[in-house]
PDB file of all heavy atoms in Angstrom:
ATOM      1  N   ILE A 284       0.610   9.171 -23.220  1.00  0.00           N
ATOM      2  CA  ILE A 284      -0.726   8.583 -23.332  1.00  0.00           C
ATOM      3  C   ILE A 284      -1.097   8.642 -24.809  1.00  0.00           C
ATOM      4  O   ILE A 284      -0.935   9.684 -25.461  1.00  0.00           O
ATOM      5  CB  ILE A 284      -1.767   9.392 -22.514  1.00  0.00           C
ATOM      6  CG1 ILE A 284      -1.428   9.353 -21.022  1.00  0.00           C
ATOM      7  CG2 ILE A 284      -3.174   8.897 -22.794  1.00  0.00           C
ATOM      8  CD1 ILE A 284      -1.589   8.013 -20.362  1.00  0.00           C
ATOM      9  N   LYS A 285      -1.534   7.520 -25.320  1.00  0.00           N
ATOM     10  CA  LYS A 285      -1.940   7.475 -26.735  1.00  0.00           C
ATOM     11  C   LYS A 285      -3.389   7.025 -26.745  1.00  0.00           C
ATOM     12  O   LYS A 285      -3.671   5.890 -26.368  1.00  0.00           O
ATOM     13  CB  LYS A 285      -1.079   6.421 -27.443  1.00  0.00           C
ATOM     14  CG  LYS A 285      -0.301   6.935 -28.614  1.00  0.00           C
ATOM     15  CD  LYS A 285       0.694   5.914 -29.083  1.00  0.00           C
ATOM     16  CE  LYS A 285       0.195   5.127 -30.266  1.00  0.00           C
ATOM     17  NZ  LYS A 285       1.295   4.403 -30.928  1.00  0.00           N
ATOM     18  N   ASN A 286      -4.286   7.886 -27.109  1.00  0.00           N
ATOM     19  CA  ASN A 286      -5.699   7.502 -27.098  1.00  0.00           C
ATOM     20  C   ASN A 286      -6.135   7.062 -28.487  1.00  0.00           C
ATOM     21  O   ASN A 286      -6.091   7.836 -29.439  1.00  0.00           O
ATOM     22  CB  ASN A 286      -6.580   8.665 -26.622  1.00  0.00           C
ATOM     23  CG  ASN A 286      -6.342   8.933 -25.143  1.00  0.00           C
ATOM     24  OD1 ASN A 286      -6.056   8.015 -24.377  1.00  0.00           O
ATOM     25  ND2 ASN A 286      -6.452  10.195 -24.758  1.00  0.00           N
ATOM     26  N   THR A 290      -8.682   1.561 -28.024  1.00  0.00           N
ATOM     27  CA  THR A 290      -7.723   1.307 -26.948  1.00  0.00           C
ATOM     28  C   THR A 290      -6.979   2.577 -26.585  1.00  0.00           C
ATOM     29  O   THR A 290      -6.512   3.309 -27.463  1.00  0.00           O
ATOM     30  CB  THR A 290      -6.676   0.260 -27.420  1.00  0.00           C
ATOM     31  OG1 THR A 290      -7.381  -0.838 -27.993  1.00  0.00           O
ATOM     32  CG2 THR A 290      -5.808  -0.227 -26.284  1.00  0.00           C
ATOM     33  N   ASN A 291      -6.868   2.795 -25.282  1.00  0.00           N
ATOM     34  CA  ASN A 291      -5.990   3.869 -24.800  1.00  0.00           C
ATOM     35  C   ASN A 291      -4.728   3.221 -24.270  1.00  0.00           C
ATOM     36  O   ASN A 291      -4.799   2.267 -23.497  1.00  0.00           O
ATOM     37  CB  ASN A 291      -6.643   4.631 -23.644  1.00  0.00           C
ATOM     38  CG  ASN A 291      -7.942   5.249 -24.058  1.00  0.00           C
ATOM     39  OD1 ASN A 291      -8.041   5.849 -25.130  1.00  0.00           O
ATOM     40  ND2 ASN A 291      -8.965   5.088 -23.226  1.00  0.00           N
ATOM     41  N   PHE A 292      -3.604   3.749 -24.681  1.00  0.00           N
ATOM     42  CA  PHE A 292      -2.339   3.191 -24.185  1.00  0.00           C
ATOM     43  C   PHE A 292      -1.713   4.146 -23.174  1.00  0.00           C
ATOM     44  O   PHE A 292      -1.648   5.356 -23.423  1.00  0.00           O
ATOM     45  CB  PHE A 292      -1.332   3.015 -25.329  1.00  0.00           C
ATOM     46  CG  PHE A 292      -1.722   1.927 -26.287  1.00  0.00           C
ATOM     47  CD1 PHE A 292      -2.357   2.238 -27.494  1.00  0.00           C
ATOM     48  CD2 PHE A 292      -1.437   0.594 -25.999  1.00  0.00           C
ATOM     49  CE1 PHE A 292      -2.714   1.238 -28.382  1.00  0.00           C
ATOM     50  CE2 PHE A 292      -1.791  -0.418 -26.894  1.00  0.00           C
ATOM     51  CZ  PHE A 292      -2.440  -0.088 -28.085  1.00  0.00           C
ATOM     52  N   ALA A 293      -1.263   3.579 -22.045  1.00  0.00           N
ATOM     53  CA  ALA A 293      -0.393   4.329 -21.125  1.00  0.00           C
ATOM     54  C   ALA A 293       0.991   3.733 -21.318  1.00  0.00           C
ATOM     55  O   ALA A 293       1.211   2.545 -21.049  1.00  0.00           O
ATOM     56  CB  ALA A 293      -0.853   4.170 -19.693  1.00  0.00           C
ATOM     57  N   ILE A 314      -1.771  -3.145 -11.163  1.00  0.00           N
ATOM     58  CA  ILE A 314      -1.147  -1.886 -11.592  1.00  0.00           C
ATOM     59  C   ILE A 314      -1.928  -0.733 -10.972  1.00  0.00           C
ATOM     60  O   ILE A 314      -3.158  -0.685 -11.072  1.00  0.00           O
ATOM     61  CB  ILE A 314      -1.175  -1.780 -13.142  1.00  0.00           C
ATOM     62  CG1 ILE A 314      -0.385  -2.948 -13.741  1.00  0.00           C
ATOM     63  CG2 ILE A 314      -0.611  -0.444 -13.601  1.00  0.00           C
ATOM     64  CD1 ILE A 314      -0.520  -3.078 -15.251  1.00  0.00           C
ATOM     65  N   ASN A 316      -2.110   3.605 -10.328  1.00  0.00           N
ATOM     66  CA  ASN A 316      -1.596   4.953 -10.530  1.00  0.00           C
ATOM     67  C   ASN A 316      -1.550   5.583  -9.140  1.00  0.00           C
ATOM     68  O   ASN A 316      -2.589   5.803  -8.522  1.00  0.00           O
ATOM     69  CB  ASN A 316      -2.545   5.741 -11.451  1.00  0.00           C
ATOM     70  CG  ASN A 316      -1.996   7.127 -11.750  1.00  0.00           C
ATOM     71  OD1 ASN A 316      -1.317   7.729 -10.925  1.00  0.00           O
ATOM     72  ND2 ASN A 316      -2.295   7.633 -12.941  1.00  0.00           N
ATOM     73  N   THR A 323     -12.382   9.788 -12.038  1.00  0.00           N
ATOM     74  CA  THR A 323     -12.915   9.082 -13.212  1.00  0.00           C
ATOM     75  C   THR A 323     -11.993   7.929 -13.611  1.00  0.00           C
ATOM     76  O   THR A 323     -10.775   8.114 -13.760  1.00  0.00           O
ATOM     77  CB  THR A 323     -13.003  10.065 -14.405  1.00  0.00           C
ATOM     78  OG1 THR A 323     -13.639  11.230 -13.941  1.00  0.00           O
ATOM     79  CG2 THR A 323     -13.760   9.465 -15.578  1.00  0.00           C
ATOM     80  N   LEU A 324     -12.579   6.752 -13.785  1.00  0.00           N
ATOM     81  CA  LEU A 324     -11.775   5.594 -14.169  1.00  0.00           C
ATOM     82  C   LEU A 324     -11.876   5.348 -15.669  1.00  0.00           C
ATOM     83  O   LEU A 324     -12.957   5.427 -16.253  1.00  0.00           O
ATOM     84  CB  LEU A 324     -12.259   4.351 -13.419  1.00  0.00           C
ATOM     85  CG  LEU A 324     -12.112   4.374 -11.894  1.00  0.00           C
ATOM     86  CD1 LEU A 324     -12.706   3.118 -11.267  1.00  0.00           C
ATOM     87  CD2 LEU A 324     -10.645   4.530 -11.479  1.00  0.00           C
ATOM     88  N   ILE A 325     -10.736   5.040 -16.287  1.00  0.00           N
ATOM     89  CA  ILE A 325     -10.686   4.743 -17.727  1.00  0.00           C
ATOM     90  C   ILE A 325      -9.823   3.494 -17.906  1.00  0.00           C
ATOM     91  O   ILE A 325      -8.926   3.248 -17.101  1.00  0.00           O
ATOM     92  CB  ILE A 325     -10.029   5.914 -18.511  1.00  0.00           C
ATOM     93  CG1 ILE A 325     -10.836   7.180 -18.362  1.00  0.00           C
ATOM     94  CG2 ILE A 325      -9.846   5.571 -19.972  1.00  0.00           C
ATOM     95  CD1 ILE A 325     -10.363   8.285 -19.293  1.00  0.00           C
ATOM     96  N   LYS A 326     -10.108   2.761 -18.999  1.00  0.00           N
ATOM     97  CA  LYS A 326      -9.284   1.565 -19.233  1.00  0.00           C
ATOM     98  C   LYS A 326      -8.090   1.897 -20.124  1.00  0.00           C
ATOM     99  O   LYS A 326      -8.231   2.589 -21.138  1.00  0.00           O
ATOM    100  CB  LYS A 326     -10.132   0.481 -19.900  1.00  0.00           C
ATOM    101  CG  LYS A 326     -11.082  -0.145 -18.904  1.00  0.00           C
ATOM    102  CD  LYS A 326     -11.843  -1.286 -19.509  1.00  0.00           C
ATOM    103  CE  LYS A 326     -12.691  -1.919 -18.422  1.00  0.00           C
ATOM    104  NZ  LYS A 326     -13.857  -2.601 -18.936  1.00  0.00           N
ATOM    105  N   TYR A 327      -6.943   1.380 -19.715  1.00  0.00           N
ATOM    106  CA  TYR A 327      -5.714   1.579 -20.492  1.00  0.00           C
ATOM    107  C   TYR A 327      -5.034   0.239 -20.732  1.00  0.00           C
ATOM    108  O   TYR A 327      -5.047  -0.620 -19.849  1.00  0.00           O
ATOM    109  CB  TYR A 327      -4.711   2.444 -19.715  1.00  0.00           C
ATOM    110  CG  TYR A 327      -5.158   3.847 -19.441  1.00  0.00           C
ATOM    111  CD1 TYR A 327      -5.850   4.150 -18.267  1.00  0.00           C
ATOM    112  CD2 TYR A 327      -4.880   4.876 -20.332  1.00  0.00           C
ATOM    113  CE1 TYR A 327      -6.258   5.442 -17.991  1.00  0.00           C
ATOM    114  CE2 TYR A 327      -5.291   6.190 -20.066  1.00  0.00           C
ATOM    115  CZ  TYR A 327      -5.975   6.455 -18.895  1.00  0.00           C
ATOM    116  OH  TYR A 327      -6.371   7.733 -18.635  1.00  0.00           O
ATOM    117  N   ASP A 328      -4.393   0.102 -21.871  1.00  0.00           N
ATOM    118  CA  ASP A 328      -3.402  -0.957 -22.021  1.00  0.00           C
ATOM    119  C   ASP A 328      -2.097  -0.345 -21.499  1.00  0.00           C
ATOM    120  O   ASP A 328      -1.650   0.690 -22.011  1.00  0.00           O
ATOM    121  CB  ASP A 328      -3.232  -1.374 -23.486  1.00  0.00           C
ATOM    122  CG  ASP A 328      -4.317  -2.353 -23.922  1.00  0.00           C
ATOM    123  OD1 ASP A 328      -5.319  -2.487 -23.177  1.00  0.00           O
ATOM    124  OD2 ASP A 328      -4.179  -2.967 -25.002  1.00  0.00           O
ATOM    125  N   VAL A 329      -1.549  -0.955 -20.465  1.00  0.00           N
ATOM    126  CA  VAL A 329      -0.344  -0.387 -19.853  1.00  0.00           C
ATOM    127  C   VAL A 329       0.861  -1.104 -20.439  1.00  0.00           C
ATOM    128  O   VAL A 329       1.027  -2.318 -20.251  1.00  0.00           O
ATOM    129  CB  VAL A 329      -0.400  -0.536 -18.311  1.00  0.00           C
ATOM    130  CG1 VAL A 329       0.854   0.053 -17.679  1.00  0.00           C
ATOM    131  CG2 VAL A 329      -1.653   0.138 -17.764  1.00  0.00           C
ATOM    132  N   VAL A 330       1.668  -0.357 -21.176  1.00  0.00           N
ATOM    133  CA  VAL A 330       2.747  -0.980 -21.949  1.00  0.00           C
ATOM    134  C   VAL A 330       4.090  -0.325 -21.633  1.00  0.00           C
ATOM    135  O   VAL A 330       4.142   0.760 -21.057  1.00  0.00           O
ATOM    136  CB  VAL A 330       2.463  -0.899 -23.474  1.00  0.00           C
ATOM    137  CG1 VAL A 330       1.146  -1.574 -23.819  1.00  0.00           C
ATOM    138  CG2 VAL A 330       2.467   0.556 -23.952  1.00  0.00           C
ATOM    139  N   GLY A 341      -0.353  -4.997 -18.809  1.00  0.00           N
ATOM    140  CA  GLY A 341      -1.748  -5.329 -18.545  1.00  0.00           C
ATOM    141  C   GLY A 341      -2.646  -4.709 -19.588  1.00  0.00           C
ATOM    142  O   GLY A 341      -2.387  -3.598 -20.062  1.00  0.00           O
ATOM    143  N   LYS A 342      -3.695  -5.456 -19.983  1.00  0.00           N
ATOM    144  CA  LYS A 342      -4.628  -4.941 -20.996  1.00  0.00           C
ATOM    145  C   LYS A 342      -5.906  -4.480 -20.304  1.00  0.00           C
ATOM    146  O   LYS A 342      -6.352  -5.099 -19.334  1.00  0.00           O
ATOM    147  CB  LYS A 342      -4.968  -6.048 -21.984  1.00  0.00           C
ATOM    148  CG  LYS A 342      -3.819  -6.329 -22.947  1.00  0.00           C
ATOM    149  CD  LYS A 342      -4.314  -7.101 -24.164  1.00  0.00           C
ATOM    150  CE  LYS A 342      -3.189  -7.422 -25.127  1.00  0.00           C
ATOM    151  NZ  LYS A 342      -2.540  -6.271 -25.741  1.00  0.00           N
ATOM    152  N   ALA A 343      -6.497  -3.400 -20.813  1.00  0.00           N
ATOM    153  CA  ALA A 343      -7.760  -2.863 -20.295  1.00  0.00           C
ATOM    154  C   ALA A 343      -7.727  -2.730 -18.767  1.00  0.00           C
ATOM    155  O   ALA A 343      -8.611  -3.200 -18.059  1.00  0.00           O
ATOM    156  CB  ALA A 343      -8.923  -3.747 -20.741  1.00  0.00           C
ATOM    157  N   VAL A 344      -6.654  -2.104 -18.295  1.00  0.00           N
ATOM    158  CA  VAL A 344      -6.503  -1.905 -16.848  1.00  0.00           C
ATOM    159  C   VAL A 344      -7.253  -0.636 -16.458  1.00  0.00           C
ATOM    160  O   VAL A 344      -7.040   0.422 -17.053  1.00  0.00           O
ATOM    161  CB  VAL A 344      -5.007  -1.732 -16.489  1.00  0.00           C
ATOM    162  CG1 VAL A 344      -4.828  -1.517 -14.995  1.00  0.00           C
ATOM    163  CG2 VAL A 344      -4.196  -2.911 -16.989  1.00  0.00           C
ATOM    164  N   GLU A 345      -8.127  -0.748 -15.481  1.00  0.00           N
ATOM    165  CA  GLU A 345      -8.900   0.422 -15.063  1.00  0.00           C
ATOM    166  C   GLU A 345      -8.060   1.308 -14.149  1.00  0.00           C
ATOM    167  O   GLU A 345      -7.633   0.865 -13.076  1.00  0.00           O
ATOM    168  CB  GLU A 345     -10.146  -0.057 -14.326  1.00  0.00           C
ATOM    169  CG  GLU A 345     -11.328   0.799 -14.646  1.00  0.00           C
ATOM    170  CD  GLU A 345     -12.626   0.138 -14.261  1.00  0.00           C
ATOM    171  OE1 GLU A 345     -12.768  -0.217 -13.076  1.00  0.00           O
ATOM    172  OE2 GLU A 345     -13.482  -0.013 -15.147  1.00  0.00           O
ATOM    173  N   LEU A 346      -7.833   2.536 -14.594  1.00  0.00           N
ATOM    174  CA  LEU A 346      -7.023   3.469 -13.793  1.00  0.00           C
ATOM    175  C   LEU A 346      -7.723   4.818 -13.756  1.00  0.00           C
ATOM    176  O   LEU A 346      -8.486   5.153 -14.683  1.00  0.00           O
ATOM    177  CB  LEU A 346      -5.645   3.671 -14.444  1.00  0.00           C
ATOM    178  CG  LEU A 346      -4.693   2.479 -14.535  1.00  0.00           C
ATOM    179  CD1 LEU A 346      -3.449   2.866 -15.331  1.00  0.00           C
ATOM    180  CD2 LEU A 346      -4.305   2.015 -13.141  1.00  0.00           C
ATOM    181  N   PRO A 347      -7.462   5.624 -12.717  1.00  0.00           N
ATOM    182  CA  PRO A 347      -7.971   6.999 -12.767  1.00  0.00           C
ATOM    183  C   PRO A 347      -7.325   7.698 -13.969  1.00  0.00           C
ATOM    184  O   PRO A 347      -6.236   7.278 -14.407  1.00  0.00           O
ATOM    185  CB  PRO A 347      -7.480   7.603 -11.453  1.00  0.00           C
ATOM    186  CG  PRO A 347      -6.458   6.670 -10.918  1.00  0.00           C
ATOM    187  CD  PRO A 347      -6.710   5.328 -11.510  1.00  0.00           C
ATOM    188  N   ILE A 348      -7.979   8.729 -14.482  1.00  0.00           N
ATOM    189  CA  ILE A 348      -7.429   9.396 -15.681  1.00  0.00           C
ATOM    190  C   ILE A 348      -5.942   9.640 -15.475  1.00  0.00           C
ATOM    191  O   ILE A 348      -5.528  10.207 -14.465  1.00  0.00           O
ATOM    192  CB  ILE A 348      -8.179  10.713 -15.968  1.00  0.00           C
ATOM    193  CG1 ILE A 348      -9.584  10.371 -16.428  1.00  0.00           C
ATOM    194  CG2 ILE A 348      -7.442  11.542 -17.017  1.00  0.00           C
ATOM    195  CD1 ILE A 348     -10.451  11.558 -16.770  1.00  0.00           C
ATOM    196  N   THR A 349      -5.191   9.180 -16.435  1.00  0.00           N
ATOM    197  CA  THR A 349      -3.733   9.101 -16.279  1.00  0.00           C
ATOM    198  C   THR A 349      -3.068  10.030 -17.281  1.00  0.00           C
ATOM    199  O   THR A 349      -3.500  10.142 -18.433  1.00  0.00           O
ATOM    200  CB  THR A 349      -3.299   7.626 -16.473  1.00  0.00           C
ATOM    201  OG1 THR A 349      -3.872   6.862 -15.418  1.00  0.00           O
ATOM    202  CG2 THR A 349      -1.806   7.441 -16.460  1.00  0.00           C
ATOM    203  N   GLN A 350      -2.004  10.686 -16.810  1.00  0.00           N
ATOM    204  CA  GLN A 350      -1.329  11.672 -17.656  1.00  0.00           C
ATOM    205  C   GLN A 350       0.167  11.439 -17.667  1.00  0.00           C
ATOM    206  O   GLN A 350       0.693  10.767 -16.768  1.00  0.00           O
ATOM    207  CB  GLN A 350      -1.582  13.073 -17.087  1.00  0.00           C
ATOM    208  CG  GLN A 350      -3.016  13.468 -17.136  1.00  0.00           C
ATOM    209  CD  GLN A 350      -3.254  14.806 -16.454  1.00  0.00           C
ATOM    210  OE1 GLN A 350      -2.419  15.280 -15.683  1.00  0.00           O
ATOM    211  NE2 GLN A 350      -4.393  15.403 -16.735  1.00  0.00           N
TER     212      GLN A 350
END
Side-chain angles (χ1 to χ4, degrees):
I284 297 292
K285 237 170 98 165
N286 291 328
T290 311
N291 300 315
F292 291 99
I314 299 171
N316 183 328
T323 311
L324 296 177
I325 298 190
K326 286 185 176 155
Y327 296 91
D328 278 14
V329 180
V330 302
K342 286 198 181 296
V344 180
E345 218 164 57
L346 295 175
I348 291 181
T349 295
Q350 295 175 343

